[in-house]
Amino acid sequence: MSDNNKAITSEIRDGVGILYWNDTTQSVNCLYEAVLLEFEKEFNALVEQKDVKGVVVTSPRDKFIVGADIKVLTKIRDLPAEELFKQNQQLSLFFRHMETQGKPVVAAINGDALGGGLELAMACHYRVVADDNSIKLGTPEVMLGLLPGAGGTQRLPRLIGLQDGLRYLTTGGNIRPPKALKLGLVNEVVPADQLLDVACDAIRSGKAPRRQPFDAANWQASPPVHSQEFVQVMGAGVALVRDKTHDNYPAPQAMLSCVYQGLQLPMESALKYEGRQFVTLARGPVSRTMIRTLWFGRNDANKLAKRPAGIEDTKFTQVGVLGAGVMGAGIAICTAEAGIRCVLVDISDEAAQRGKDYARDYWQRQLTKKRITQDEFDARMARIVPTSDYAKLGGSQLVIEAVFEDRGLKAKVTRMTEEATGDDAVFGTNTSTLPITGLAEASDRPQSFIGIHFFSPVEKMPLVEIIRGEKTDVRATAVAMDYVAAISKTPIVVNDSRGFYTSRVFGTYGREAFEMLQEGYSPTLIENVGRSTGMPMGPFELIDMIGVDTAQKIAAATEAEVGREAMEAAGENFYNKDLLDWIVLECERPGQKTGQGFYDYEGRKPSKLWSGLHERYPGKLDNPDIAELKKRFLHIQTLETLRCMEEGVVTAADDADVGSIFGWGFAPWSGGVMSYGETHVGWSRLLADCEDYAKRFGKRFEPNDLLRSLAAGEKAFFNDSAAA
């Protein structure tokens, strides 16, 4: 970095050295070798001056420091283990030098301090943070399959205690300034305009110490190592991690080990132990694939990296939503939160008002919890205009239909909308399975007709699947992507197919559960195996949440349009229609929304699997092969994705991975369906398993040509798939 563009600058103010971290070559301050060398040089130059009483570290930017540069990590993680360990220790040893060089060091935390940024702050003797509840402090490395490798696993439990330290390390949760003060993570919370003055005064007054509390000769961990309470907290931590991760994520387990071993060692030895654990994780397949998808894949999608070129960006002033049910109301919520006027249309003014009332209740809960202000609440409410008058859709750049899955009804509202809107308006249908090309036949402007598939609950789910019909043009695609970006969700773009990509592949999870039921496995076993794969819920609970009646209607509509024999021949029977008919039509258990589905519910929380399911499917198989059942759940979803890839429904492996994790919650530890197949299993192993399963369990596991070519080594989707 040239002297003309220094990331680290310094000044001396009344005997206090101040280091400003201001790396304008990056969008945010982050840690990488060049800037760290510059920081080390400037820091040492200050502390070596006799007239400097101590050093303050701060930043003039909106954020303090947000962690390591992930791009750098991906370039160095395949270095020999000893070389990677050496690089890790250089940073750890410098942070250790900061806290042992003899002069007080204060962190003036002006904004987010995350990952390595918080580790640097914890290596300071005193921490002052601005009084701004939007500031986040935390160690989010676990979200990418890693641990904080610059002393974070050692300093955090030493500073805030074992129980809280383990909780924030293993969950990656954020800590706001008031909570940080209560925990003892920071020493003061002060108005932002006083931050630097207070930090400097802490040095001049002697309030900031010259060494860390844990470097005192009589220091003990809280609770003391090997005390009964220490053993209990560690034991509870191990149990909680295993319960939450099912041993799919190595990072939380490595953190537990670092804390347990490190608290019994001198700090220098503890840092070496942490460094070795970091190297193992960084070179392993879980962090590799999580970084690939949860970081790079999602960031590219959010930045609209695949948006059609040459199309002017759309600045939305009004969006129409047809249907004020749960889906339509959720879309209205997201639209209004983005600052866009939303005309919410339903069959009557009263029905439309119920959708606005849903939004009011949702925002009222946020207001009560002080997550939004009264002004924000009022502004959002004013942006939703409930009506039964289609004429009010005039001026909308985009209209999204979210009515029932009925072709006739969708055709009707399409025509009514086009009569009320201009030729430039794009029409989006929020169908989950009906082919877009067929629905577009009702439109006079099929080039502006596109699928915009939201997931329930809309206001919480991060993904939106955009589906191009045969006649959808690039402008409609660009407008849809612009809208998804405007409401801060993640888009993927796929081509038309029954079920598109997400519904089609996700359906195999429930179908495999139904097949297992009929093979003689108990419902409880199946549900627990599903969770143990890393899926967010067991298959029965997940179908309950979506709606058993929704699944039944999809199965019925598909059978009516395609025919049962054709469905089974094509492998398109996503759900066992007979079982769904029994639960929904005979037993009247439509799902979570009524408190009766595969589960019985207390409020919206499942209490236990419905006894009637056990009576019909008691489970007759002993000594089940749990590992094989887990593979069946994950393999079938990957195989169906390969079919989508082969048919051109999905055109990019990274889109498939992003869609699988953020759409239906495919095991995040895997990095997504394609990363699971290529990096975690290997295509040749997947082929052999599927050939075996096809013989034993049915032709739904029959490998396609793409899988065979991948297994033969003719193609790979990722250039970083080698697991160390």
Side-chain angles (χ1 to χ4, degrees):
M1 193 171 296
S2 69
D3 290 338
N4 295 329
N5 192 26
K6 293 182 67 175
I8 311 297
T9 57
S10 65
E11 68 166 318
I12 299 174
R13 185 184 299 181
D14 295 331
V16 175
I18 305 173
L19 287 174
Y20 299 96
W21 196 302
N22 186 23
D23 187 1
T24 57
T25 66
Q26 306 289 325
S27 59
V28 290
N29 290 332
C30 57
L31 308 180
Y32 56 95
E33 185 177 18
V35 73
L36 284 166
L37 289 174
E38 187 179 341
F39 179 78
E40 183 175 358
K41 178 181 177 182
E42 294 288 338
F43 177 84
N44 287 333
L46 285 176
V47 297
E48 287 169 6
Q49 296 184 49
K50 292 183 179 180
D51 58 343
V52 171
K53 300 175 182 178
V55 174
V56 171
V57 182
T58 192
S59 174
R61 309 188 76 180
D62 291 340
K63 301 182 187 300
F64 182 65
I65 304 167
V66 297
D69 188 333
I70 300 298
K71 290 180 290 186
V72 173
L73 175 62
T74 60
K75 293 177 181 177
I76 66 173
R77 66 185 171 197
D78 290 324
L79 290 172
E82 286 305 314
E83 178 61 28
L84 184 55
F85 174 74
K86 181 179 178 181
Q87 291 198 21
N88 165 269
Q89 288 297 286
Q90 288 175 346
L91 180 57
S92 280
L93 290 174
F94 171 64
F95 283 178
R96 185 62 177 153
H97 165 67
M98 284 178 57
E99 63 190 4
T100 58
Q101 45 70 40
K103 292 184 178 181
V105 183
V106 177
I109 305 170
N110 55 288
D112 292 353
L114 300 170
L118 182 61
E119 289 181 288
L120 185 152
M122 290 192 293
C124 299
H125 304 101
Y126 200 82
R127 286 160 294 282
V128 185
V129 64
D131 188 6
D132 180 348
N133 212 39
S134 70
I135 291 176
K136 300 186 292 290
L137 312 178
T139 53
E141 287 88 347
V142 69
M143 306 296 189
L144 296 178
L146 297 168
L147 56 74
T153 67
Q154 301 309 308
R155 293 188 180 90
L156 192 61
R158 283 170 167 81
L159 291 172
I160 69 174
L162 178 64
Q163 185 168 340
D164 288 320
L166 287 177
R167 176 157 62 96
Y168 286 108
L169 284 169
T170 58
T171 64
N174 293 321
I175 308 172
R176 305 292 178 173
K179 182 67 173 180
L181 181 64
K182 184 177 180 180
L183 289 170
L185 180 59
V186 301
N187 303 92
E188 294 187 68
V189 177
V190 302
D193 59 357
Q194 300 176 25
L195 180 68
L196 195 54
D197 289 339
V198 171
C200 291
D201 287 344
I203 291 174
R204 297 190 192 104
S205 67
K207 187 187 298 184
R210 297 172 179 271
R211 67 177 181 182
Q212 296 280 30
F214 48 78
D215 281 328
N218 60 348
W219 180 83
Q220 284 192 340
S222 176
V225 175
H226 298 317
S227 67
Q228 183 177 358
E229 186 180 356
F230 179 89
V231 173
Q232 289 174 340
V233 172
M234 286 301 310
V238 171
L240 284 170
V241 164
R242 296 204 69 178
D243 179 62
K244 296 294 184 182
T245 69
H246 300 284
D247 294 335
N248 291 315
Y249 298 85
Q253 295 177 334
M255 291 178 190
L256 289 167
S257 180
C258 285
V259 172
Y260 177 76
Q261 298 290 346
L263 288 176
Q264 301 177 67
L265 296 169
M267 179 62 86
E268 288 73 16
S269 299
L271 293 174
K272 289 180 180 178
Y273 188 89
E274 176 192 79
R276 293 189 183 97
Q277 296 294 317
F278 176 84
V279 168
T280 299
L281 294 173
R283 289 166 52 84
V286 172
S287 71
R288 183 182 303 271
T289 51
M290 290 181 74
I291 289 171
R292 177 194 295 162
T293 303
L294 277 67
W295 184 261
F296 290 111
R298 191 184 192 190
N299 284 345
D300 284 348
N302 289 341
K303 293 174 183 176
L304 306 188
K306 297 175 184 176
R307 183 184 186 275
I311 308 296
E312 185 179 354
D313 293 349
T314 305
K315 304 301 181 184
F316 294 94
T317 56
Q318 179 174 294
V319 167
V321 176
L322 311 181
V326 172
M327 292 297 289
I331 298 169
I333 285 171
C334 297
T335 303
E337 286 183 347
I340 303 168
R341 173 184 164 93
C342 178
V343 178
L344 183 59
V345 181
D346 211 307
I347 193 170
S348 67
D349 289 347
E350 292 76 17
Q353 183 61 45
R354 285 195 290 272
K356 184 168 183 175
D357 290 342
Y358 178 95
R360 175 183 286 106
D361 292 343
Y362 176 74
W363 288 325
Q364 184 62 54
R365 291 193 294 271
Q366 291 190 332
L367 182 63
T368 300
K369 295 177 181 178
K370 298 183 178 179
R371 293 176 181 171
I372 61 174
T373 65
Q374 184 66 51
D375 287 346
E376 288 172 323
F377 176 89
D378 294 341
R380 292 175 181 183
M381 288 297 298
R383 293 186 192 113
I384 298 181
V385 181
T387 183
S388 58
D389 184 2
Y390 275 72
K392 291 186 179 180
L393 293 171
S396 299
Q397 293 107 324
L398 171 68
V399 176
I400 302 170
E401 165 270 302
V403 301
F404 294 118
E405 293 285 271
D406 179 277
R407 279 185 176 275
L409 178 58
K410 289 180 182 290
K412 178 181 177 181
V413 300
T414 298
R415 290 189 290 267
M416 293 175 69
T417 298
E418 290 185 351
E419 290 175 3
T421 56
D423 292 343
D424 290 339
V426 171
F427 188 92
T429 176
N430 177 50
T431 179
S432 56
T433 58
L434 296 175
I436 303 304
T437 302
L439 294 177
E441 293 174 358
S443 172
D444 292 332
R445 304 194 293 267
Q447 73 279 3
S448 297
F449 194 103
I450 195 166
I452 305 179
H453 177 207
F454 292 85
F455 298 80
S456 183
V458 176
E459 57 271 21
K460 295 181 180 179
M461 294 296 285
L463 189 85
V464 178
E465 182 181 30
I466 297 170
I467 309 103
R468 297 177 293 213
E470 289 181 6
K471 296 183 179 180
T472 304
D473 65 16
V474 292
R475 178 180 172 275
T477 303
V479 170
M481 294 181 76
D482 289 343
Y483 170 72
V484 174
I487 62 173
S488 301
K489 292 192 181 292
T490 299
I492 62 167
V493 180
V494 304
N495 292 317
D496 200 11
S497 167
R498 181 171 295 280
F500 322 127
Y501 164 56
T502 56
S503 295
R504 175 173 166 179
V505 178
F506 165 67
T508 64
Y509 181 47
R511 182 183 69 183
E512 202 59 27
F514 294 163
E515 295 288 345
M516 291 175 184
L517 276 179
Q518 293 171 333
E519 290 169 19
Y521 293 102
S522 77
T524 300
L525 173 68
I526 296 167
E527 193 76 342
N528 288 334
V529 169
R531 292 191 189 98
S532 72
T533 65
M535 295 289 286
M537 301 176 188
F540 303 125
E541 184 182 357
L542 205 49
I543 295 171
D544 265 1
M545 187 185 76
I546 293 169
V548 189
D549 56 342
T550 301
Q552 187 270 338
K553 289 173 184 175
I554 291 171
T558 305
E559 183 175 301
E561 292 196 20
V562 179
R564 186 161 190 149
E565 291 183 3
M567 283 171 57
E568 293 175 351
E572 291 185 348
N573 188 12
F574 305 142
Y575 296 101
N576 183 309
K577 182 173 177 296
D578 294 336
L579 187 151
L580 291 168
D581 285 349
W582 170 67
I583 290 183
V584 175
L585 302 180
E586 293 184 35
C587 302
E588 299 182 346
R589 299 182 68 88
Q592 180 196 60
K593 55 195 168 192
T594 65
Q596 291 185 319
F598 286 102
Y599 277 83
D600 291 319
Y601 288 82
E602 294 178 357
R604 296 187 64 83
K605 293 184 178 181
S607 59
K608 61 180 179 179
L609 276 165
W610 173 45
S611 60
L613 191 63
H614 286 284
E615 291 170 6
R616 180 162 174 161
Y617 299 101
K620 302 175 182 178
L621 296 182
D622 296 326
N623 301 316
D625 187 339
I626 301 299
E628 181 176 87
L629 293 177
K630 290 171 67 173
K631 287 197 295 183
R632 283 174 59 180
F633 273 134
L634 299 175
H635 281 21
I636 194 64
Q637 295 179 72
T638 303
L639 180 58
E640 193 65 31
T641 300
L642 290 174
R643 293 181 181 127
C644 289
M645 294 285 292
E646 188 172 70
E647 296 168 21
V649 178
V650 184
T651 59
D654 56 345
D655 284 344
D657 277 350
V658 169
S660 66
I661 289 180
F662 295 104
W664 71 87
F666 184 85
W669 61 265
S670 70
V673 280
M674 297 298 287
S675 289
Y676 169 78
E678 183 163 307
T679 304
H680 290 276
V681 179
W683 298 123
S684 59
R685 179 70 261 170
L686 187 71
L687 174 63
D689 285 345
C690 287
E691 287 177 331
D692 176 38
Y693 295 169
K695 294 175 184 176
R696 294 164 54 202
F697 305 120
K699 60 185 178 182
R700 64 188 180 280
F701 280 104
E702 186 65 38
N704 64 342
D705 290 341
L706 178 56
L707 176 54
R708 295 186 187 280
S709 67
L710 289 166
E714 298 173 11
K715 182 179 181 180
F717 291 101
F718 306 106
N719 60 11
D720 64 340
S721 286

